[in-house]
Amino acid sequence: MTTFETVIGLEVHLQLKTKTKIFCGCRNEFGHEPNTNVCPVCLGLPGTLPVLNRQVLLDGVKVGLALNCTINNFVKFDRKNYFYPDLPKGYQISQFDLPIARQGYLDIVVDGTSKRIGITRAHLEEDAGKLVHDAVNNGSLVDYNRTGTPLVEIVSEPDLRSAQEAYEYLTALKLTLSYLGVSDCDMEKGSLRCDANVSIRPVGQEKLGTKTELKNLNSFSALKRAVEFEVTRQTGVILSGGQVVQETLLWNDDQGAAVAMRSKEQAHDYRYFPEPDLVPFTLEANQVQLLREGLPELPYVKLARFMARYGLNHYDAFILVQDQGLASFFEVCVKAHADAKKVANWLIGPLMKEMNERKKSFIGMSLTPQAMVAIIQKVETGVISNVIGKEVLALVLDTGKAVDAIIEEKGLAQVSDDEALGKVVDDIIAANPAAVAEIKGGKTGAIGFLVGQALKKMQGKANPKKINEILSRRLQDV
Amino acid sequence: MVDDKTVRYIAALARLHIEAADEGKFARELEAILHYVEKLGVLDVTAVKPTSHVLDVENVFRDDAVKPGLSQEQALAFSVDKLNGSYKVPRVIE
Ligand SMILES: [Zn+2]
């Protein structure tokens, strides 16, 4: 039986978060009443002229540089012509043969092996409006607020060989883009959108099979599921003697199936031609160099450095670099506390737990490195227990108060004084004669039970080592 | 060579309705236009730099600053049909 190889290329649209739209001064914001964030330019009224937002070009170059692309020093815009109600002009201003960036790559890791995925190009274009079909049964409603939102379209080479590779590529792409600060990169909100071109071919065959385009992949899991579905479908078509038809399929994540889009049946003949309303743009080499130097350290470079410099394992370093703010916070903490592994554990464990509970990224947390390090040190020196340390962290985040003040106010300091602890131990011994008898009989396992009882009574504020000492001494006397 | 099939294809792309009886006429007219433009082919342009724009102007930008636009009422004033602050169009099914 023929075995098939999967070939996938991804087209990713990234909404830039500039203050204004790409060609007009309308706010680049969402959540407004329909058609209140529009002007004659983005509505495509006759006699208006688009003018490029400088920041959009700069952000686009940053994206190209982060993806290891060659930046074209001469770029122009083109019209992509098609009729659809979400496109008021009857064409989308995009870039055809002279995009801002080309021939880059992104490295991904699949099953522990690194693989380089080619990036064909990245170009600038304007977003379309939004169509609502549900509100009325005899028509569709159009909201042009989104029209003219700046987009960077990033097209990969057909280098991906499985749904898993596509997933890893999108993950790596999102992480890399998120470091640039040019977009929210939020798939749920649509600021990062993904289409997949999928085909299969017999293993060993050079020529690509007929591809289909999957749209409406609104999450990472949707991408994976949709590609898996489509590969199975295409394999079935070919094995039963049929041929894959080139078409656009709309993924329905609830149904776990893709259906052909009827509305865009027409052959893709976009009749691109140079946009006469926008002059071309040149990028000086020194301008590009400045942008390159201004790029932040990118996540995969940071990951490698965290492992080499701080001796972190890949797992810990990988988690830290997922959140750019958290990664920087880690480095500041490590300056004040040399045990990097311990600091990493506190951030990945208790701190990330608090972040998840509050549904916030590190940026949204009001925590100073001094406070974090103070908590770690209080635990190390036995002033508070590990459990109480986590509680103090939560209180710092809730109240913004100083670590010492919280420990003092709430009386959270660990009790180490012999007299107070001795009293508790005596109570526990008195209350658990059976366990004491067991220990006396040589079953020392019950000691742990008694220590646990004492700690419980002290609500975690007792020093376990001390309790153990006192208990051993007292048991000899009994 | 522009034939009837090409005319129908272009009409479909442009969302134009053309009567079958007129296809031949449009084919001849489009053919004539293409033929006219083809005259440029006789010129020797080997020394002319290719260009996408007639103006010798580059790098016209605007700053990323907000400018007031239209109100919803103004925006919808151009519509033939509207509902709930939106333009209403014939149903497009996805
Ligand atoms: Zn506008």
Side-chain angles (χ1 to χ4, degrees), chain A residues 21 24 26 38-39 42:
Chain A
K21 294 183 179 181
C24 64
C26 289
V38 291
C39 74
C42 55

Side-chain angles (χ1 to χ4, degrees), chain A residues 215-240:
Chain A
K215 284 189 174 289
N216 199 35
L217 310 174
N218 294 330
S219 67
F220 284 87
S221 65
L223 165 66
K224 209 167 157 185
R225 275 155 44 89
V227 170
E228 279 163 0
F229 168 90
E230 182 55 9
V231 169
T232 306
R233 189 191 70 85
Q234 289 188 11
T235 308
V237 167
I238 292 174
L239 287 180
S240 60

Side-chain angles (χ1 to χ4, degrees), chain A residues 9-26:
Chain A
L10 294 191
E11 290 173 14
V12 170
H13 285 88
L14 182 74
Q15 275 182 345
L16 297 176
K17 57 174 186 189
T18 46
K19 284 193 210 68
T20 62
K21 294 183 179 181
I22 182 168
F23 298 123
C24 64
C26 289

